[in-house]
Amino acid sequence: MPKGKGLPVVTITGKGNKKRRCPLWDNTRKELRTLIGKREPDDFVFVNRL
């Protein structure tokens, strides 16, 4: 995970292959860890818009 201004960030690829860098606050990181659970490291976090 790259860091930006002291916070870990993730890169999100969106519509039109546009890339965005978003910070991961502690609360967000904890929620994502719960969401992805025991998935493989290369699996997508969000598999569709819902």
Side-chain angles (χ1 to χ4, degrees):
M1 232 176 313
K3 290 194 174 199
K5 295 185 182 182
L7 288 174
V9 297
V10 293
T11 302
I12 299 170
T13 305
K15 187 176 177 182
N17 213 26
K18 186 173 182 179
K19 298 199 184 297
R20 293 173 178 82
R21 291 178 51 141
C22 298
L24 284 181
W25 294 277
D26 283 339
N27 296 12
T28 308
R29 186 179 49 79
K30 290 173 188 173
E31 290 295 327
L32 284 172
R33 192 164 290 199
T34 300
L35 176 68
I36 61 177
K38 296 178 181 176
R39 294 186 195 174
E40 294 296 321
D42 293 338
D43 286 351
F44 292 108
V45 174
F46 305 106
V47 294
N48 64 34
R49 64 183 183 85
L50 303 175

